[in-house]
Amino acid sequence: MKPDDPPASDEPVSARVRRRIIAARKRFNANDNISAFIQPGELEALLDEVEGKFKGVLESLVIDTESDHNTQETARRVARMYLTEVFRGRYVAAPEVTEFPNAELLNELMIVGPITVRSACSHHFCPIIGRLWIGLMPNEHSNLIGLSKYTRLAEWVMSRPQIQEEAIAQMANVLMDKVQPDGLAVVMEADHFCMQWRGVKDDRSKMLNSVMRGSFLKDHTLRAEFLSLLNLKP
C-alpha cells in the first residue's frame, strides 16, 4: 500500500501515520515531532486507538475496569493525557513565534529563566520536572522573540518522551534557528522520577547539564559570567 492509498477499513490510524513517516524516510523516535504526518481528524482517532490499547494494558495488569469505579475511565484519561498534554509536543506543530528585528543592535548578554519544564523519561515514562535557563548573545542580524515564547518553545520541546541530554540539545537547535544569535547557552536542572519512584529510590539526586553554542563555547569569560548569574538555589 502506498502512503496516499485509501486505508483499509480496519487499518489502525497509527499504521497510516507510521507508513507516511517511513515513506518520507523520516525518524519517529520518542522525542521527534511527527505533526507533519498527521492529517485532520486523525489525532482524535489516535486517541481512541490509544484508549483501546491502554485498556488492554490494564486488563493484563489484572485490574477489573468493569467493577472498579476508580479505573472505569482510566484508559480514556491516560490516552487524552498522553496525546494532548504530556506528549503534546510530538503531535502538534511548533507554536507561532513572532520575530522582531534587532533594531537597537543589542549585543549584550540576555538570560531567560528559570523556566519550569515538565517531561517524561523515554526509558520508563516516569516524570521529569525541572528548570531551564537560556543565555543569548544577539547580534545585529538576530531575531528577537517575546519573553513568553521561550516558555512556549520549551514546553513544546519538553512535552515528549525525552532524555534530558537530548532535550536541551533540541531546545538549543530550535533557538539557534529562530533567533540566530552569536552565542547560545541552555542549562537544565531536573528531578527524575525514574530514580525517585523506582530503582535506587534516591529522592535527593538531580541532573544538571548544559549546551553551549557559538560565543558561549569559545569565550570562557562569557560562559563564566552566564553561569555565575544563574540562580541554582532551591
Side-chain angles (χ1 to χ4, degrees):
M1 184 180 291
K2 296 179 181 178
D4 54 353
D5 284 342
S9 59
D10 59 347
E11 182 184 31
V13 65
S14 61
R16 299 202 300 269
V17 175
R18 185 180 294 107
R19 181 157 41 81
R20 292 182 200 125
I21 298 172
I22 293 172
R25 299 179 183 274
K26 298 294 185 180
R27 287 190 346 175
F28 52 104
N29 288 1
N31 61 353
D32 288 328
N33 179 275
I34 60 171
S35 60
F37 302 97
I38 298 175
Q39 296 181 358
E42 288 186 334
L43 196 58
E44 292 78 8
L46 197 57
L47 196 153
D48 292 337
E49 182 181 337
V50 174
E51 177 187 4
K53 296 289 180 63
F54 198 79
K55 187 174 182 180
V57 171
L58 294 174
E59 290 171 353
S60 294
L61 290 171
V62 198
I63 294 174
D64 184 357
T65 57
E66 299 298 325
S67 301
D68 180 1
H69 63 280
N70 289 317
T71 58
Q72 285 175 353
E73 300 297 326
T74 293
R76 187 70 178 181
R77 285 191 290 264
V78 171
R80 186 181 296 113
M81 177 186 71
Y82 280 160
L83 291 174
T84 68
E85 295 179 289
V86 296
F87 299 152
R88 177 178 170 82
R90 272 181 60 75
Y91 305 105
V92 300
E96 292 290 331
V97 175
T98 304
E99 301 168 7
F100 306 94
N102 186 6
E104 297 298 323
L105 306 182
L106 302 174
N107 62 353
E108 300 292 340
L109 173 62
M110 299 167 51
I111 299 177
V112 180
I115 298 170
T116 300
V117 290
R118 301 169 183 85
S119 189
C121 81
S122 48
H123 297 156
H124 296 96
F125 274 29
C126 289
I128 299 172
I129 309 293
R131 301 181 293 171
L132 188 77
W133 291 262
I134 298 164
L136 287 163
M137 279 295 293
N139 58 52
E140 66 271 22
H141 304 296
S142 294
N143 298 316
L144 304 181
I145 63 177
L147 186 61
S148 66
K149 302 306 185 290
Y150 293 99
T151 299
R152 293 186 187 280
L153 288 171
E155 181 181 23
W156 180 67
V157 169
M158 295 301 298
S159 295
R160 309 170 193 178
Q162 285 279 15
I163 64 170
Q164 185 172 331
E165 303 93 311
E166 293 178 359
I168 66 167
Q170 284 186 325
M171 187 67 191
N173 291 341
V174 168
L175 289 174
M176 286 295 291
D177 180 62
K178 294 285 184 186
V179 184
Q180 300 179 19
D182 276 346
L184 174 73
V186 183
V187 171
M188 180 174 167
E189 177 192 61
D191 293 302
H192 288 246
F193 282 65
C194 57
M195 286 186 62
Q196 298 185 7
W197 194 20
R198 56 160 301 281
V200 295
K201 296 182 180 177
D202 181 354
D203 63 357
R204 298 182 64 85
S205 295
K206 296 179 184 289
M207 183 174 182
L208 178 67
N209 64 329
S210 65
V211 169
M212 304 288 169
R213 302 277 173 84
S215 55
F216 283 93
L217 186 62
K218 300 172 184 176
D219 186 342
H220 71 276
T221 302
L222 174 63
R223 185 166 63 250
E225 179 186 0
F226 166 69
L227 293 173
S228 71
L229 292 172
L230 300 189
N231 177 18
L232 291 174
K233 297 179 181 178

